[in-house]
Amino acid sequence: MSGYGGSDQAVEKALTTAWWEERKGHVHPAVWATVNFIQENQQERRNTLLRNARLYIGNQLEGFGPYTYARLPTNPFRASDRLTLNVIASNVDTLTSKQAKNRPRPRFLTIEGDFSQQRRAKNLQKFIDGIFYDTQAYGMGTDQFRDACWAGTGITYWYRQGGKIMVERVFPGELLVDQREAIYGTPRQMFRVKYVDRQVLREIYPEKWKSIIKEADAVTSSEFWGVPHDQLRDQLKVIESWHLPSGEDATDGRYTVSLENGTLEDEKWTRPDFPFVIMRFRKPLLGFWGTGVADELTGIQVEINKLLRKIQDAFHLLAVPWVLRERGSQVNPQKITNQPGIIIDYTGTPPQVVTHATVHPEVFAHLDRLIQRSYEITGVSMLSASSQKPAGLDSGRALQEYHDIESERFMEVGRRYEQMFLDYATQAMQLAEEIEADPEHKGTRINAISPKGIEPLRWRDVKIAKDAMVMQMFPSSALPTQPAAKIQQIITMMQGQLIDPAMGQKLLEFPDIEAYTSLRDAPIEDIEAQIEVLLDGRYEPPEPFQDLDRAVVMVQSAYLRARRQGASDNVLDGLRRYLTEVGALKGRIQEAAMREQQAQQMEQQAAQQQGQQPPAPGGLQPALPSAALPPQAGAPPAGAA
C-alpha cells in the first residue's frame, strides 16, 4: 500500500483522513493512497472490463496500460485463437450504427418569456449548435454509445482549455468511484487515472517542471517488444480527483491534479456535479456502473467458441475421404489420383472410398440457435446485422412499421442516448459561464451556426436564467432517408393534398423531398427572416415578389406579440412601418393590374370594331410600372404625415 512512495504508516494515515481536507498543495499522498486502495479492491471490475474488451475485439488483450494494451500474448499467436464468429461485436456494431444515424438536437424554449428572453433563446440555440460543431459532439456521442454497449458505461469529459470548450472520450477503465459511496449511483468523489506525456505536462504546468514533473518516475515495464521503456515516449501516471460540495453553501468541494511525487493543481470545486457525461446501456439496480451487451452475451459467445472449436477439430480429423484397400488385393495406390477417367487395374476386392459425416446436424442446429438467440436477447434483428431488407417488405410504409417495431425494443436506451446530448449542452453552458467569469478570457466568442452562416456570439449575449427556460430534445431531421420510405411519404403528401400533383409526379421519379420542401418553405422563411431583422431593430422594406398577404398576417402577429412582451419603440415603429408599406405596395400593385386590365379591354374593343380577332390574354404577369416599386429604406411610408 505504499504506491505513492510513502511508508505504510503514511498510507494508513492518508486513508483515515479525507483527501479533500488535506492542506493545499500537499494532497497527493492521500489521493494516491485512496486510488490505490480502490484499485486493489475493485479488481473484479477491471477483470470484467478486460474480458468484455477481449470478447469485443476478438484478441487476447493483456491490459489497459500504455505497455500492456498492445503487448502480444505470452504464447505465440495463432490464427485459430481468434474468434471467427463474434456475435458480441456484431450486436454492438449494429446497435451503434442504428443509434448513430439519430442526431438529437437540444432545443431551448422559454416559459412565458418576454421579448428579450425569446430572442436570447434563439441565440442560445445557435450558440449550442456552434459548440456541437466545434467539438464534433455527434461523433463523440457515437464513440460513447459504443463504449456503453461493450463496457456497460460510456463516458466523456468536458473541460476548457483557455477560452475554448473541449471534450474527450474517457476510457471506462480510467474512471474510479468508491462503490460504498456510489450505492445509489451518486458518488461524492471521483477519480480519473490517465497517462500523459511528460513534455505535455511541462507545457500545461511550467512552474511545476523542475520541482515535480522532471523528477517524477515514468510508467515502467520490464519489456515492451524487446525495446527498453526509456527509448519510448515518456509517459507519466496522472490522477485527477474531484469532491463535490456537501451543500449549497459548503466549502469542501475540491479538484486536484497530482503525480506520484507532488501536486500539480489544487483548486476549489464549486459546481454541484462532475465534469463528466455518463451514459449506461442498462442502468443497474444498485451501484454506479451499467451493464452492456458483452455482459449479456458472454455465456452465449463462450459456448459458440466451444462449438466452433469442436467443429474445427472434427473437420480437421474426418473431413477427408478414406480409400479402403483390402489386404492382399493387388491395387497400385499410385493409380489413385485426382485425374478424371483413369483406369485402375486390380485383382481381388476393388478399393472403396469412404467419406464420413464429420459433424452431427444437431451440432450445426444448436450453433444456429445460439446465434439467433444472441440477437433476440439484445433485440437486434439478424437482417439489420447483415444489412438486409425483410423479404416481402417493399413499400416505405411497411419498412417504416418494421423499423418502428424494432426501435421499440431500444426505447429506453434511445431516451438515455438523447439525454446524453442534453447533458452535453448543460456541460457546455457551465463551461461557457466559467469562461465568461475568467477575466483573462472574458468575452470569448463562439462561432455559432445559423441559416445565414457563421455568426460569432458571446455567452453574456445568450445566457438565460435556468428557471426561465426548458431544454427539449428533437431529431435533427424528421424526413425519411430510404428511397422506398421517401416515395411512400410523397404518396401520403399527395393524398393529403399537401403537394401539387404535377410536382408529386416529378418527385416519384427522383424523390428529393428536401429540395422540394426547401423551395416550398422559401416564401415563409423569407418573411420569418425579415421579421428577425425587424425585431433586431433594423428596417428592411417589403418586396413586391413576396407573399404580401401572408406577410401582413405574420408581421401583424409579430407586432402584437412584441408589443405585449415589451419590445422597444424602435422595434414597434419598424413593424408598423413595414405593415404600412405593405398596404401601400399592395395598393399600387392592384392599381397597376387594373390599369393593365383596362388597357387590354380597350384593345379588345378596338379590335372588335375593326373586325379583327382579339389577342388571347397572356399567361405571364404584367411587368410592374415604376410607380409600383417599393420606396427606399430611408423614405417615409406612403400616407405618413
Side-chain angles (χ1 to χ4, degrees):
M1 286 297 296
S2 57
Y4 68 89
S7 63
D8 293 338
Q9 293 80 7
V11 174
E12 184 178 356
K13 179 179 182 300
L15 287 175
T16 56
T17 304
W19 63 266
W20 58 89
E21 296 179 353
E22 296 287 346
R23 58 193 180 97
K24 187 176 179 62
H26 296 79
V27 71
H28 64 279
V31 169
W32 277 69
T34 304
V35 169
N36 289 338
F37 180 80
I38 292 176
Q39 287 179 329
E40 290 180 3
N41 286 273
Q42 295 184 11
Q43 284 291 333
E44 182 179 354
R45 177 175 177 265
R46 177 187 176 278
N47 295 335
T48 300
L49 282 177
L50 189 59
R51 180 204 64 194
N52 291 353
R54 288 173 174 174
L55 290 173
Y56 174 67
I57 66 177
N59 203 345
Q60 290 295 326
L61 189 70
E62 287 202 357
F64 301 133
Y67 293 101
T68 56
Y69 84 98
R71 185 188 290 273
L72 292 175
T74 305
N75 297 325
F77 176 75
R78 299 181 303 170
S80 60
D81 292 332
R82 292 183 60 86
L83 301 180
T84 56
L85 209 162
N86 195 336
V87 295
I88 290 180
S90 177
N91 277 273
V92 169
D93 293 343
T94 302
L95 283 170
T96 303
S97 299
K98 289 175 66 67
Q99 202 67 49
K101 68 181 181 181
N102 299 326
R103 299 168 67 90
R105 183 189 184 197
R107 298 294 299 270
F108 300 90
L109 303 176
T110 57
I111 303 175
E112 297 184 357
D114 56 15
F115 167 75
S116 177
Q117 289 177 336
Q118 292 186 4
R119 296 289 299 149
R120 283 178 174 266
K122 293 181 179 180
N123 288 331
L124 180 58
Q125 179 69 63
K126 301 175 185 177
F127 187 86
I128 295 299
D129 289 344
I131 292 178
F132 276 26
Y133 178 80
D134 287 342
T135 59
Q136 300 180 354
Y138 290 110
M140 192 67 62
T142 301
D143 294 339
Q144 184 172 355
F145 183 82
R146 185 186 66 167
D147 287 341
C149 288
W150 74 263
T153 307
I155 310 164
T156 50
Y157 174 43
W158 288 76
Y159 64 101
R160 68 184 183 96
Q161 193 172 42
K164 187 176 181 180
I165 296 175
M166 309 287 290
V167 59
E168 66 182 18
R169 169 187 176 243
V170 177
F171 188 78
E174 294 180 359
L175 207 63
L176 298 172
V177 297
D178 187 349
Q179 291 182 347
R180 298 165 299 178
E181 199 177 58
I183 183 173
Y184 301 119
T186 55
R188 305 300 302 171
Q189 57 180 328
M190 193 171 289
F191 307 89
R192 184 188 181 188
V193 180
K194 187 179 179 181
Y195 302 96
V196 184
D197 187 86
R198 190 188 301 269
Q199 296 301 322
V200 172
L201 288 177
R202 180 179 184 177
E203 293 297 323
I204 300 176
Y205 305 103
E207 71 281 359
K208 305 289 186 179
W209 168 248
K210 292 184 179 180
S211 59
I212 300 176
I213 300 175
K214 185 178 180 180
E215 302 299 328
D217 293 333
V219 179
T220 60
S221 177
S222 58
E223 184 180 356
F224 182 63
W225 288 343
V227 181
H229 73 274
D230 55 359
Q231 296 181 15
L232 302 173
R233 296 191 64 182
D234 203 2
Q235 300 287 316
L236 303 181
K237 182 178 178 180
V238 180
I239 297 180
E240 291 182 271
S241 58
W242 293 265
H243 182 264
L244 300 182
S246 301
E248 185 175 353
D249 299 327
T251 59
D252 57 345
R254 199 165 182 179
Y255 166 68
T256 68
V257 180
S258 59
L259 294 176
E260 191 176 15
N261 61 327
T263 303
L264 300 179
E265 187 174 352
D266 190 351
E267 303 292 341
K268 288 289 184 181
W269 186 260
T270 58
R271 286 171 49 179
D273 57 353
F274 297 105
F276 298 100
V277 173
I278 296 173
M279 191 258 173
R280 302 169 181 86
F281 184 81
R282 176 178 293 176
K283 298 182 68 174
L285 295 178
L286 286 175
F288 183 80
W289 305 108
T291 304
V293 174
D295 297 298
E296 297 177 348
L297 300 182
T298 296
I300 290 181
Q301 184 67 71
V302 171
E303 184 65 20
I304 289 175
N305 295 345
K306 291 180 180 179
L307 287 178
L308 290 175
R309 183 60 57 83
K310 291 180 180 179
I311 293 173
Q312 183 182 21
D313 293 340
F315 271 89
H316 180 70
L317 292 174
L318 301 175
V320 290
W322 294 357
V323 180
L324 303 181
R325 185 183 63 173
E326 185 177 356
R327 192 185 305 273
S329 63
Q330 298 180 8
V331 178
N332 186 4
Q334 295 181 356
K335 291 288 187 177
I336 303 176
T337 65
N338 61 351
Q339 295 181 0
I342 63 172
I343 299 175
I344 301 176
D345 297 327
Y346 71 94
T347 300
T349 304
Q352 181 182 0
V353 179
V354 177
T355 303
H356 296 278
T358 55
V359 180
H360 196 279
E362 289 188 0
V363 176
F364 288 105
H366 182 49
L367 178 62
D368 293 338
R369 282 195 298 267
L370 290 176
I371 296 173
Q372 183 177 0
R373 187 59 56 86
S374 70
Y375 292 105
E376 292 175 355
I377 290 175
T378 58
V380 176
S381 68
M382 296 182 64
L383 295 173
S384 297
S386 57
S387 300
Q388 295 181 3
K389 178 178 69 64
L393 297 185
D394 298 322
S395 69
R397 178 61 59 85
L399 286 173
Q400 185 176 1
E401 292 291 336
Y402 173 77
H403 288 299
D404 288 343
I405 293 174
E406 188 178 16
S407 299
E408 288 181 359
R409 174 66 173 79
F410 310 109
M411 184 174 296
E412 290 300 321
V413 177
R415 288 175 178 173
R416 287 192 287 272
Y417 181 73
E418 293 179 351
Q419 182 62 42
M420 182 177 71
F421 286 93
L422 289 179
D423 295 339
Y424 281 6
T426 300
Q427 292 286 342
M429 290 189 292
Q430 289 178 339
L431 291 172
E433 185 73 25
E434 292 181 8
I435 294 174
E436 186 68 27
D438 189 347
E440 185 177 353
H441 303 284
K442 187 176 183 180
T444 299
R445 297 185 177 186
I446 295 294
N447 289 328
I449 307 298
S450 68
K452 303 176 184 178
I454 303 298
E455 181 181 354
L457 290 175
R458 295 185 178 91
W459 171 248
R460 63 171 175 265
D461 298 327
V462 302
K463 63 180 297 186
I464 308 176
K466 292 182 179 180
D467 56 354
M469 70 169 182
V470 294
M471 280 196 300
Q472 294 183 348
M473 183 64 64
F474 296 94
S476 60
S477 177
L479 295 177
T481 57
Q482 298 297 325
K486 287 188 174 184
I487 292 175
Q488 183 63 41
Q489 180 72 15
I490 294 170
I491 295 175
T492 303
M493 294 171 67
M494 293 175 64
Q495 293 174 348
Q497 298 182 353
L498 300 177
I499 187 174
D500 181 68
M503 179 61 69
Q505 292 290 338
K506 180 179 181 299
L507 289 175
L508 289 176
E509 298 178 0
F510 189 78
D512 190 353
I513 303 179
E514 291 81 0
Y516 166 74
T517 55
S518 63
L519 292 176
R520 180 198 62 188
D521 299 337
I524 299 177
E525 292 177 353
D526 178 73
I527 298 173
E528 289 178 343
Q530 203 162 29
I531 291 175
E532 291 291 327
V533 174
L534 295 172
L535 293 177
D536 283 335
R538 297 176 285 117
Y539 185 75
E540 184 176 308
E543 287 285 340
F545 297 104
Q546 285 180 312
D547 188 347
L548 297 179
D549 292 333
R550 187 185 300 273
V552 169
V553 175
M554 294 177 64
V555 175
Q556 185 178 13
S557 300
Y559 168 78
L560 295 175
R561 184 177 60 182
R563 183 172 67 88
R564 284 296 181 184
Q565 294 176 350
S568 64
D569 293 337
N570 181 39
V571 171
L572 298 178
D573 290 342
L575 293 170
R576 286 193 291 262
R577 177 181 174 184
Y578 182 91
L579 292 172
T580 302
E581 291 190 4
V582 168
L585 181 57
K586 290 177 62 178
R588 289 195 295 271
I589 293 176
Q590 292 175 357
E591 292 176 2
M594 292 178 60
R595 288 196 298 268
E596 186 68 23
Q597 184 178 6
Q598 292 174 358
Q600 290 181 359
Q601 292 175 354
M602 293 177 63
E603 290 179 1
Q604 291 177 0
Q605 293 175 359
Q608 291 176 358
Q609 292 176 358
Q610 296 177 4
Q612 298 178 355
Q613 183 68 24
L620 298 177
Q621 294 293 334
L624 294 174
S626 59
L629 294 177
Q632 300 296 324

